[in-house]
């Protein structure tokens, strides 16, 4: 009975697990069915999302497996976001990977497995389940990074990601062992209880190590070094996936562990988060300036954005968490949209292009694509009236409400540095002479998805503000 | 007429957006026509707005409120100050479209779309009654202007567009944090409510500085004015017109709408700062203008000098000063716009902005020389033109506060006469040294249609300024009453009681009697 109740709370993960296994069998049986399996995987994600919606409608807030996992509004919100991002990554990939000669049936299966890991991550309430979820997600990601086996850069990206990821996992585990040793439990709530009152040095060390490991996973400075290389090397659809879903999951995980386990000692972790946030914003902005490769640019952009998101966490307030979720939602739309644009940069010679020189004067040869890309860039820069502005606004609003004025002022001033390189993309596309190396688009799916995401980032997105506000506030309340 | 039921402001905001969307998908000729029709329609709506605005009615008229966007309230409404600035915007827009009719040949649809979006954003800035909505309109203008300068600009357009964007962005971002703080403090983003919120004096200083950072860049005040000459010189003619005509006014409008009534104590404390920077600006930029070889640069520097008179007028805390500052803003919007158009007329013929390449144009272009002279005189501030009314009022107001600042600012008028007349002499008078300049044809019908309306309004404002003072008088009085508690004592120490307002009241009373008599 107890087991049944627990299992009923992880139905989305069960569906995904069974689908992944079944599709793996299908993949072994039919090597070339990549497209079919992709479609079925999207179906599995939709089914899982339907269960999550059912949970959200019921408003359950129940613990499963003796406190290893929790099914609450926060986790469910993050899962929906993860599933949407993963589904888009699945839909945009097949044609692209086929052209590269790298489409294999394992691609959708790996993404599904990664989604299971992410589902566990966002609902973990114990260091053990946290680690299992994180590793399942990471191991799938390592393979995905090197998915284009014939491409040396892709293999390098996978290896680099694996080695550095293992290092981060090690740090996380070391921190977890310290926390367990000094708190006497791996459960978040028990750690939270143990942390009331005086906090010993050992526990603080543990927290620092755990946060370092997590900073690696969300590619926050100073643990961001892997990001540009992996983003550049991995096939573009995979990079789009890395930049969206796992980031949502890892940030949600960070939020939960920080608030539920260490929540009572805000002074222990707040300074760390503030430092990491500001470093990420500045390194992300400055590092991007010299980049010639657009995927590397997007990598620095993601570092920069993570910094802004972490400002919400630094507040430690319900408003701050809700703001982070708003930002994350908009960020997923912005970043996926940018990568969809990048994926359409197919050269006239058939190869994919990803350098600044290739998009020179793009607005003359591909006006719609250039306009969409410009929308995403201005949105990422947080310039009103594009929707990205709203994400920055709510995060800074939370910081101001929490009295973190210096952080807000420095953060927002640094965002002007970031605007410089986003503007550079627009400048190259609109002001420079046409290089005319990009072919006309032949992929309707990309055009449609890019168009939809561009519309979401345009001022039309503002119509979503009320609904987004209600959902994120509801999700954030679950943690307090 | 029941204008209150029709959301005129929303319609005025919507027309250009819809037209812009059309412009992107049609051929060049159609895009031009669509843009012209849309801007003329907005001008017509502006006239409706002007005629149905009741100067004695409620402070905020044509108000609209909708809660479509959650915390960002779609709240619009105008007072007299907003009305005049909206009128300025919708008046200049068709002229801008006309000015680009033949000179813009590449990517016409996108160009027209950018200008139409610009119009929406300008109207939005002046009509927004929600702090966040204001910020969105205020900041969003950067994108179309960046593209206008960058795509259709001159030689160094990329440097100028970056400088424009980053300068103004950096200035505005800190203001956003201040706005968020104010919204938290007051519990609302409603501007009319915030206007009557008393912020703690200590906080006011910080808030004032945050707003100052943004508006001083936008205005622009010395020493953060350096983006302006670059942007002006590189922008296409119509871009310069909009930049000088309306965008600079957003800074003045911001001081008037936010800094003064929301932070009266801080504003009073920082009068020496504002006056100091303005005095430097008047003298320094006038001297710089005197030695310019580039026509557009000269007018750009003269803009900085004129805007400095505006800031002096605004921070006088009295009726004359503030009314004068608004009139200078309106007058400068028209006159500098017209001067940029005049430059555009000859630039289109000879493709150079170098003053020495012209000369003796009054011989072969008499109509042009006449119009150019009118605008030159208006820029100098000759009585009978709009420039005189504004400068006189604001300096008269300033005299009450600081005689020294007035003395120095007045030298700006003398220097202004110097550089403008010198410019006019080099271009219109003297021998026809350049054969190609001597062969230029006079203004054609299209150009006449662009310049003549501005000339009419400039004279109208100079001869009968009451038309433009009537709608703003009550709103300026509201601001003056609001800031009265912090008003500076002034150093003129007049023996008789307040001579600046006494004759003024008589005139005002006379108007009233006349108006009543005509009923």
């Amino acid at each position: 009975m107890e087991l049944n109740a627990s299992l009923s709370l992880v139905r989305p993960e069960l569906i995904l697990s069974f689908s992944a296994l079944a599709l793996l069998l299908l993949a072994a049986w039919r090597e070339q069915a990549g497209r079919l399996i992709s479609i079925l995987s999207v179906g599995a994600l939709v089914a899982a999302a339907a269960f999550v919606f059912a949970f959200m409608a019921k408003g359950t807030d129940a613990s499963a497996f003796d406190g290893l996992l929790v099914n609450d509004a926060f986790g469910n919100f993050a899962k929906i976001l993860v599933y949407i991002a993963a589904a888009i990554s699945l839909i945009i990939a097949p044609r692209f990977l086929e052209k590269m000669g790298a489409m294999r049936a394992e691609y959708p299966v790996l993404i599904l497995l990664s989604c299971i890991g992410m589902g566990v991550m966002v609902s973990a309430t114990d260091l053990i389940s946290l680690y299992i979820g994180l590793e399942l997600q990471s191991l799938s990601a390592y393979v995905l990074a090197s998915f284009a086996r014939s491409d040396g850069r892709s293999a390098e990206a996978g290896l680099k990601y694996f080695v550095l990821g293992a290092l981060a996992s090690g740090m996380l585990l070391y921190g977890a062992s310290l926390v367990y040793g000094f708190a006497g439990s791996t459960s978040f709530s028990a750690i939270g209880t143990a942390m009331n009152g005086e906090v010993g040095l050992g526990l603080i060390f543990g927290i620092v190590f755990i946060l370092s490991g997590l900073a690696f996973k969300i590619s926050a400075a100073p643990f961001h070094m892997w990001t540009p290389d992996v983003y550049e090397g991995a096939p573009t659809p995979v990079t789009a996936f890395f930049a969206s879903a796992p980031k949502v999951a890892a940030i949600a995980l960070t939020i939960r562990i920080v608030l539920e386990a260490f929540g009572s000692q805000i002074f222990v972790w707040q300074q760390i988060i503030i430092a990491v946030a500001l470093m990420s914003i500045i390194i992300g902005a400055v590092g991007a300036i010299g980049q010639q490769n657009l995927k590397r640019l997007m990598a620095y952009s993601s570092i920069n954005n993570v910094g802004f998101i972490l400002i919400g966490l630094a507040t430690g307030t319900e408003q701050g968490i809700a703001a982070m979720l708003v930002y994350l939602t908009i960020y997923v739309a912005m970043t996926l949209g940018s990568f969809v644009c990048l994926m359409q940069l197919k050269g006239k010679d058939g190869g994919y292009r990803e350098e600044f020189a290739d998009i020179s004067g793009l607005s003359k040869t591909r006006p719609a694509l250039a306009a969409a890309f410009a929308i995403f860039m201005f949105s990422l820069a947080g310039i009103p009236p594009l929707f990205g502005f709203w994400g920055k606004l709510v995060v800074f609003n939370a910081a101001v409400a929490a009295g973190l004025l210096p952080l807000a002022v420095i953060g927002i001033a640094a965002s002007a540095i970031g605007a410089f390189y986003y503007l550079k993309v627009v400048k190259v596309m609109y002001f420079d002479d046409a290089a005319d190396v990009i072919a006309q688009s032949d992929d309707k799916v990309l055009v449609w998805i890019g168009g939809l995401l561009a519309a979401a980032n345009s001022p039309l997105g503002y119509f979503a503000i009320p609904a987004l506000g209600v959902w994120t506030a509801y999700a954030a309340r679950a943690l307090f | 007429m029941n204008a209150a039921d029709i959301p005129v402001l929303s319609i005025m905001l919507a027309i250009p957006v819809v037209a812009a969307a059309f412009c992107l998908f049609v051929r060049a000729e159609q895009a031009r026509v669509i843009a012209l029709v849309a801007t003329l329609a907005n001008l017509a709506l502006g006239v409706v707005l002007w005629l149905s605005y009741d100067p004695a009615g409620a402070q905020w008229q044509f108000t609209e409120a909708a809660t479509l966007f959650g915390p960002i309230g779609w709240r619009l409404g105008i007072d007299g100050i907003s009305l005049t600035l909206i009128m300025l915007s919708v008046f200049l827009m068709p002229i801008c479209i006309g000015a680009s009719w033949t000179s813009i040949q590449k990517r016409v649809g996108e160009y027209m779309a950018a200008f139409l979006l610009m119009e929406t954003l300008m109207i939005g800035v002046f009509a927004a009654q929600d702090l966040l909505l204001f910020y969105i309109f205020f900041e969003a203008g950067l994108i179309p202007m960046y593209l206008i300068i960058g795509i259709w600009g001159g030689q160094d357009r990329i440097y100028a567009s970056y400088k424009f964007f980053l300068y103004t962005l950096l200035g505005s971002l800190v203001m956003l944090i201040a706005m968020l703080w104010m919204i938290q403090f007051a519990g609302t983003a409603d501007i009319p409510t915030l206007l009557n919120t008393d912020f703690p004096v200590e906080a006011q200083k910080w808030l004032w500085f945050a707003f100052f950072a943004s508006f001083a860049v936008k205005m622009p005040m010395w020493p953060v004015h350096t983006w302006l000459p670059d942007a002006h010189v590189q922008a296409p003619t119509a871009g310069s017109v909009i930049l000088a005509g309306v965008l600079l006014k957003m800074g003045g409008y911001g001081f008037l709408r936010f800094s003064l009534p929301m932070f009266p104590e801080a504003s009073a404390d920082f009068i020496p700062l504002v006056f100091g920077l303005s005095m430097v600006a008047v003298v320094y930029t006038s001297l710089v203008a005197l030695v310019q070889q580039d026509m557009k640069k000269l007018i750009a520097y003269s803009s900085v000098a004129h805007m400095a008179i505006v800031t002096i007028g605004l921070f006088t805390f009295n009726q004359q000063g503030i009314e004068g500052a608004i009139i200078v803003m309106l007058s400068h919007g028209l006159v500098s716009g017209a001067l940029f158009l005049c430059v555009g007329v000859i630039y289109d013929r000879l493709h150079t902005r170098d003053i020495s390449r012209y000369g003796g144009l009054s011989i072969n272009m008499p109509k042009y020389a006449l119009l150019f002279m009118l605008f030159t005189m208006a820029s100098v501030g000759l009585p009978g033109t709009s420039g005189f009314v504004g400068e006189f009022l604001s300096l008269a107001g300033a005299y009450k506060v600081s005689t020294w600042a007035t003395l120095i600012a007045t030298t700006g008028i003398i220097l202004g006469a110097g550089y403008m007349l010198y410019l006019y002499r080099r271009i219109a008078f003297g021998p026809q040294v350049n054969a190609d300049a001597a062969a230029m044809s006079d203004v054609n019908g299209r150009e006449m249609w662009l310049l003549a309306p501005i000339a009419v309004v400039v004279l109208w404002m100079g001869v009968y300024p009451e038309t433009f003072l009537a709608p703003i008088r009550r709103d300026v009085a509201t601001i003056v009453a609001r800031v009265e508690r912090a008003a500076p004592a002034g150093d003129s120490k007049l023996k008789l009681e307040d001579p600046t307002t006494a004759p003024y009241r008589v005139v005002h009373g006379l108007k009233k009697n006349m108006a009543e008599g005509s009923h």
Side-chain angles (χ1 to χ4, degrees):
Chain A
M1 192 60 211
E2 171 66 21
L3 182 66
N4 279 346
S6 291
L7 285 177
S8 73
L9 289 172
V10 291
R11 272 186 215 134
E13 281 72 31
L14 287 180
I15 297 229
L16 291 179
S17 307
F18 285 124
S19 318
L21 292 176
L23 292 173
L24 198 58
L25 283 179
L26 183 62
W29 179 49
R30 275 203 151 168
E31 183 73 14
Q32 296 308 319
R35 242 177 228 228
L36 173 71
I37 293 176
S38 291
I39 295 168
L40 291 174
S41 303
V42 173
L45 284 171
V46 171
F51 276 108
V52 177
F53 272 120
F55 287 136
M56 284 179 109
K58 249 194 294 176
T60 46
D61 190 352
S63 186
F65 302 110
D66 285 333
L68 283 178
L69 295 175
V70 69
N71 184 330
D72 62 357
F74 177 78
N76 286 332
F77 184 90
K79 276 185 207 173
I80 293 287
L81 212 50
V82 165
Y83 293 163
I84 292 174
I88 293 180
S89 310
L90 278 175
I91 295 168
I92 58 179
R95 202 182 271 256
F96 187 94
L97 290 175
E98 276 165 17
K99 291 232 176 69
M100 281 182 86
M103 183 62 197
R104 296 170 54 84
E106 284 85 1
Y107 175 80
V109 176
L110 281 168
I111 288 206
L112 280 190
L113 289 172
S114 182
C115 282
I116 303 165
M118 289 188 273
V120 174
M121 279 162 80
V122 299
S123 40
T125 48
D126 191 289
L127 292 173
I128 303 290
S129 49
L130 174 155
Y131 187 71
I132 292 174
L134 194 65
E135 280 309 290
L136 182 53
Q137 181 269 322
S138 301
L139 281 171
S140 320
Y142 303 146
V143 183
L144 283 170
S146 51
F147 205 71
R149 284 181 300 184
S150 51
D151 183 355
R153 286 192 313 167
S154 179
E156 184 196 328
L159 192 62
K160 211 175 252 177
Y161 197 14
F162 175 66
V163 172
L164 290 172
L167 183 70
S169 295
M171 283 203 289
L172 186 83
L173 271 185
Y174 185 54
S177 70
L178 279 174
V179 168
Y180 172 58
F182 282 88
S185 171
T186 54
S187 149
F188 287 179
S189 57
I191 296 169
T193 316
M195 280 194 54
N196 279 325
E198 191 100 356
V199 181
L201 197 61
L203 209 47
I204 293 180
F205 261 91
I207 292 173
V208 170
F209 272 104
I210 288 183
L211 288 181
S212 307
L214 291 174
F216 177 91
K217 297 291 175 191
I218 59 177
S219 69
F223 302 99
H224 62 282
M225 284 83 77
W226 59 276
T227 323
D229 292 335
V230 172
Y231 273 36
E232 185 190 357
T236 312
V238 175
T239 314
F241 176 69
F242 285 172
S244 53
K247 209 145 266 184
V248 174
I251 288 173
L253 168 68
T254 311
I255 295 173
R256 195 189 286 280
I257 190 169
V258 162
L259 288 178
E260 289 196 345
F262 315 140
S264 55
Q265 297 290 338
I266 185 166
F267 298 105
V268 174
W269 51 264
Q270 191 181 35
Q271 297 159 14
I272 303 176
I273 299 289
I274 289 179
V276 168
L278 284 181
M279 259 193 280
S280 304
I281 291 174
I282 292 169
I283 289 178
V286 175
I289 289 174
Q291 299 304 325
Q292 287 306 314
N293 184 294
L294 292 167
K295 279 161 84 179
R296 287 185 85 86
L297 183 96
M298 287 306 297
Y300 280 101
S301 157
S302 83
I303 298 166
N304 180 256
N305 276 292
V306 162
F308 288 116
I309 294 173
L310 286 179
I311 287 181
L313 184 57
T315 65
T317 60
E318 202 176 314
Q319 191 190 1
I321 304 307
M324 290 174 82
L325 294 177
V326 172
Y327 198 119
L328 264 178
T329 312
I330 300 172
Y331 169 72
V332 165
M334 294 190 291
T335 197
L336 279 176
S338 310
F339 279 108
V340 167
C341 288
L342 285 182
M343 285 171 64
Q344 294 187 57
L345 298 178
K346 194 153 66 69
K348 286 186 168 161
D349 55 3
Y352 284 100
R353 303 302 189 104
E354 51 195 48
E355 299 282 325
F356 258 116
D358 301 322
I359 60 165
S360 181
L362 191 68
S363 67
K364 287 172 195 125
T365 50
R366 296 282 306 273
L369 176 61
F373 207 6
I375 286 180
F376 294 125
M377 288 299 118
F378 280 125
S379 194
L380 278 166
I383 309 291
L386 299 162
F387 202 31
F389 166 70
W390 182 244
K392 287 216 169 60
L393 184 85
V394 286
V395 166
F396 284 114
N397 195 26
V400 171
L404 298 173
L405 274 175
L407 172 65
V409 170
I410 299 174
I412 207 159
S415 79
I417 312 173
F420 179 77
Y421 64 85
Y422 295 121
L423 279 184
K424 188 178 167 192
V425 177
V426 178
K427 174 228 149 200
V428 170
M429 287 193 302
Y430 277 87
F431 304 169
D432 289 357
D433 294 326
D436 203 16
V437 292
I438 305 296
Q440 294 302 313
S441 175
D442 54 354
D443 195 340
K444 286 276 177 294
V445 175
L446 286 184
V447 171
W448 274 103
I449 291 193
L452 278 177
L453 290 169
N457 274 289
S458 76
L460 293 177
Y462 282 72
F463 287 104
I465 288 176
L468 201 54
V470 170
W471 281 106
T472 52
Y474 177 57
R477 208 172 304 132
L479 291 181
F480 287 88
Chain B
M1 169 151 94
N2 197 359
D5 297 337
I6 311 164
V8 186
L9 292 171
S10 286
I11 296 173
M12 286 177 79
L13 290 173
I15 288 178
V17 174
V18 175
F22 275 110
C23 280
L24 286 175
F25 296 103
V26 297
R27 279 179 293 118
E29 302 81 44
Q30 291 164 323
R32 290 191 186 105
V33 175
I34 290 175
L36 186 65
V37 169
T39 49
L40 284 175
N42 250 11
L43 176 59
L45 280 176
V47 173
V48 171
L49 213 58
W50 174 276
L51 292 177
S52 45
Y53 180 83
D54 178 9
Q59 187 190 359
W60 302 99
Q61 302 182 18
F62 304 98
T63 49
E64 296 171 28
T67 49
L68 284 174
F69 310 112
I72 305 175
W74 183 260
R75 283 196 294 274
L76 304 173
I78 53 168
D79 64 355
I81 300 168
S82 308
L83 174 75
T84 50
L85 288 166
I86 288 178
M87 282 308 293
L88 179 68
S89 314
V90 294
F91 177 71
L92 286 177
M93 272 314 289
I95 295 175
C96 285
I97 302 293
S100 322
W101 204 264
T102 52
S103 57
I104 299 297
Q105 289 299 338
K106 63 168 185 175
R107 303 166 84 171
V108 178
E110 284 157 301
Y111 178 88
M112 294 299 167
F115 264 88
L116 289 165
L117 287 180
M118 212 56 230
E119 175 167 31
T120 293
L121 299 173
M122 291 183 310
I123 298 172
V125 164
F126 299 130
Q129 277 201 318
D130 182 283
L131 209 51
L132 292 176
L133 191 65
F134 168 82
Y135 183 81
I136 289 173
F137 282 128
F138 187 78
E139 196 77 340
L142 295 184
I143 297 176
M145 206 62 211
Y146 173 73
L147 295 176
I148 288 170
I149 299 175
I151 300 179
W152 296 278
Q155 207 70 46
D156 282 331
R157 57 186 204 274
I158 289 166
Y159 171 74
S161 62
Y162 266 93
K163 199 170 178 182
F164 164 77
F165 196 103
L166 293 176
Y167 243 84
T168 31
L169 177 69
L170 196 59
S172 311
L173 285 173
V174 183
M175 179 173 80
L176 180 62
I177 297 292
M179 285 180 166
L180 293 175
W181 191 89
M182 288 162 68
I183 294 171
Q184 311 251 335
F185 179 85
T188 175
D190 184 46
I191 290 176
T193 314
L194 287 168
L195 284 175
N196 292 307
T197 305
D198 291 316
F199 292 98
V201 175
E202 198 47 46
Q204 276 189 25
K205 288 182 184 162
W206 293 101
L207 296 172
W208 190 90
F209 254 112
F211 278 74
F212 181 72
S214 175
F215 299 142
V217 170
K218 203 89 177 177
M219 194 85 189
M221 292 176 76
W222 183 86
V224 285
H225 67 284
T226 56
W227 64 270
L228 183 75
D230 288 311
H232 264 325
V233 169
Q234 300 304 330
T237 302
S240 301
V241 174
I242 275 303
L243 204 53
V246 187
L247 292 198
L248 302 190
K249 280 40 187 197
M250 288 182 186
Y253 177 77
F255 280 130
L256 201 55
R257 178 68 75 229
F258 301 100
S259 302
L260 281 173
M262 290 187 191
F263 325 122
E265 279 84 7
S267 299
D269 282 354
F270 289 115
I271 285 178
L273 173 73
V274 174
F275 278 16
L277 294 182
S278 304
M279 286 189 287
V280 175
V282 167
V283 176
Y284 168 76
T285 54
S286 298
L287 291 174
V288 173
L290 213 45
V291 296
Q292 290 308 313
Q293 292 304 315
D294 182 313
M295 288 188 286
K296 271 189 157 180
K297 231 175 193 159
L298 191 152
I299 301 169
Y301 278 108
S302 87
S303 290
V304 183
H306 280 112
M307 287 296 113
I309 307 255
V310 173
T311 42
I312 288 182
L314 288 177
F315 282 83
T316 57
F317 285 59
N318 57 46
Q319 185 91 17
Q320 290 74 32
I322 296 176
E323 278 184 6
I326 296 170
I327 297 293
V328 174
M329 289 206 283
L330 296 175
S331 160
H332 175 264
L334 296 168
V335 173
S336 69
L339 286 171
F340 278 119
L341 287 173
C342 287
V343 172
V345 166
I346 49 177
Y347 180 81
D348 285 346
R349 287 166 173 68
L350 215 54
H351 296 286
T352 173
R353 295 183 305 266
D354 192 355
I355 297 172
S356 58
R357 292 281 286 105
Y358 299 93
L361 292 189
S362 58
I363 298 167
N364 58 323
M365 299 175 76
K367 281 191 256 174
Y368 173 79
L370 180 69
L371 284 166
F372 191 19
M373 187 178 73
L374 172 70
F375 297 126
T376 302
M377 292 305 163
S379 179
V380 170
L382 193 78
T385 61
S386 58
F388 171 75
V389 181
E391 283 177 9
F392 183 81
L393 276 175
S394 46
L395 291 174
Y399 194 80
K400 269 174 96 176
V401 182
S402 167
T403 44
W404 275 106
T406 316
L407 178 68
I408 299 202
T410 312
T411 62
I413 297 182
I414 300 164
L415 288 168
Y419 61 75
M420 282 314 292
L421 293 177
Y422 185 41
L423 170 73
Y424 189 74
R425 194 208 76 80
R426 283 181 289 173
I427 288 191
F429 294 158
Q432 292 179 308
V433 281
N434 300 301
D436 46 0
M440 294 195 303
S441 58
D442 206 349
V443 286
N444 59 30
R446 179 180 63 85
E447 288 157 348
M448 205 63 182
W449 271 105
L450 304 178
L451 291 170
I454 305 184
V456 171
V457 179
V458 164
L459 287 173
W460 180 3
M461 204 183 279
V463 175
Y464 191 71
E466 177 62 18
T467 320
F468 304 90
L469 284 167
I472 63 171
R473 180 169 294 126
R474 202 261 325 266
D475 298 303
V476 172
T478 311
I479 293 172
V480 171
R482 171 86 182 137
V483 299
E484 201 172 18
R485 63 170 196 251
D491 63 355
S492 44
K493 303 277 186 310
L494 300 163
K495 287 240 168 68
L496 291 172
E497 180 214 1
D498 209 355
T500 43
T501 47
Y504 182 80
R505 281 206 195 104
V506 172
V507 175
H508 181 41
L510 199 70
K511 289 275 138 42
K512 215 179 235 165
N513 291 341
M514 281 170 67
E516 276 158 12
S518 68
H519 271 296

